[in-house]
Amino acid sequence: MAILLPIEIIEISNFNEFCKIFKINSEKFAGDDGTDEELIIKELNKISNKNFILNFIDDRNTGYFRIEVFV
């Protein structure tokens, strides 16, 4: 059985925070240009040499995104 362990786990609340952490200059806005999830996936697909898993975690009060980074 294979076990994959991420090299990094990043938790963010929305697309704007994602752009700050990944140092992305985007003129897109969640709600106008797509959902937070759609915009994050588009930007992650532009990054080469890394693989990502994006999960939305609902913790009853608010939700957040967990990005797991793999090589």
Side-chain angles (χ1 to χ4, degrees), residues 11-60:
E11 293 182 355
I12 57 168
S13 60
N14 57 38
F15 180 66
N16 291 334
E17 185 178 357
F18 167 79
C19 289
K20 287 179 187 175
I21 290 173
F22 281 81
K23 297 177 181 142
I24 296 172
N25 291 325
S26 177
E27 296 188 12
K28 301 209 182 252
F29 295 99
D32 295 337
D33 300 310
T35 64
D36 286 313
E37 182 178 11
E38 292 169 339
L39 296 174
I40 292 169
I41 289 170
K42 286 180 186 177
E43 293 298 330
L44 288 175
N45 285 333
K46 295 177 184 178
I47 300 172
S48 60
N49 299 326
K50 289 188 180 177
N51 296 303
F52 302 93
I53 294 178
L54 176 66
N55 290 304
F56 180 75
I57 309 298
D58 187 2
D59 67 359
R60 291 188 175 184

